[in-house]
Amino acid sequence: FGATEVNQKEENFSRMTKKDWLCSGKFYIFAMVYAFARVLVCVNNTCMAFYLIYDAGFTPAGNMPTSPYLAIIPFLHIFAQASFVCMDKTYDKYFGDRIRPTFVALALIACSSTPLLWIRNPTVDEAGLPRDLVYPLLALQGVGISIVLNTATSCISDVVGSDIGNSAFVIGVYSFADKCLAGVILKIITDKYIKDAEALKFIIGI
């Protein structure tokens, strides 16, 4: 999905109708890429707090309903995402396409998520990785997720190009599809696995 290749075909796409878009294989490829990125963000952000409570053992402290040690983790996660978004033009210029930053992002996510499978809950586990590792790991995971989402969104802009007449249609279909898919997946997770420590471990870690 290199930006150069997409730009070379931009003139052809600029005359596409809604029917042309729906008959284009590229339309569905980019839909899957965007939906994957959005589902990754939604599932991760929704399940993170439950993973930290039920698997990592961040329980309320004293009279406070939420442990301050727990509250700071989503902040670090989102702060890392937002900070890296500010650098999107820098890494876009450095990599020069959409493929390489995607592989870098997936490597970051894999390296930061996999150790979460072995984080030790100090109240029930005797072996495992120190629980404090969730702070740097989830921050790094946030950077990877930010790159994936930013790259997927940029791909949509590239493929739509200057087709102002149908850009709202394309983006609207993508947005509707990702919300339906994320909603179905989150419904299944919240109904069956939201308090299951082992399941949450694999959802966040894989």
Side-chain angles (χ1 to χ4, degrees):
F1 311 124
T4 303
E5 179 185 353
V6 174
N7 289 335
Q8 289 174 348
K9 298 180 180 179
E10 184 175 317
E11 184 177 349
N12 294 331
F13 282 123
S14 65
R15 294 188 293 271
M16 292 180 70
T17 64
K18 295 181 178 66
K19 183 178 179 180
D20 292 332
W21 278 111
L22 292 174
C23 293
S24 169
K26 189 179 290 291
F27 177 82
Y28 296 99
I29 292 172
F30 279 91
M32 288 188 291
V33 172
Y34 182 71
F36 166 78
R38 290 294 305 167
V39 168
L40 177 65
V41 172
C42 292
V43 171
N44 184 273
N45 289 347
T46 301
C47 295
M48 184 194 304
F50 296 98
Y51 162 80
L52 294 170
I53 293 170
Y54 294 111
D55 192 75
F58 284 90
T59 54
N63 295 326
M64 301 181 67
T66 302
S67 167
Y69 302 103
L70 167 63
I72 198 173
I73 296 174
F75 170 77
L76 290 174
H77 187 76
I78 295 172
F79 180 78
Q81 292 183 24
S83 299
F84 211 81
V85 166
C86 298
M87 300 170 59
D88 63 337
K89 291 184 179 179
T90 302
Y91 71 76
D92 276 351
K93 184 177 180 180
Y94 176 78
F95 289 112
D97 59 31
R98 307 298 185 197
I99 298 294
R100 283 179 287 182
T102 301
F103 280 112
V104 170
L106 293 176
L108 284 174
I109 294 171
C111 292
S112 58
S113 300
T114 304
L116 295 173
L117 293 169
W118 293 280
I119 292 295
R120 181 172 62 88
N121 183 337
T123 60
V124 296
D125 298 326
E126 296 182 358
L129 297 174
R131 187 175 65 175
D132 289 345
L133 281 177
V134 297
Y135 295 100
L137 288 174
L138 288 175
L140 186 61
Q141 186 190 69
V143 172
I145 290 174
S146 176
I147 297 175
V148 168
L149 182 59
N150 185 66
T151 302
T153 305
S154 298
C155 284
I156 295 175
S157 300
D158 287 340
V159 76
V160 170
S162 59
D163 189 0
I164 299 175
N166 287 312
S167 60
F169 166 75
V170 174
I171 295 172
V173 170
Y174 284 2
S175 180
F176 178 74
D178 92 70
K179 287 174 175 56
C180 290
L181 181 60
V184 170
I185 293 174
L186 286 175
K187 172 65 174 174
I188 295 171
I189 291 174
T190 53
D191 282 352
K192 296 185 177 181
Y193 306 113
I194 204 63
K195 293 184 178 181
D196 186 331
E198 286 300 312
L200 289 168
K201 180 185 297 185
F202 281 95
I203 291 170
I204 295 294
I206 298 178

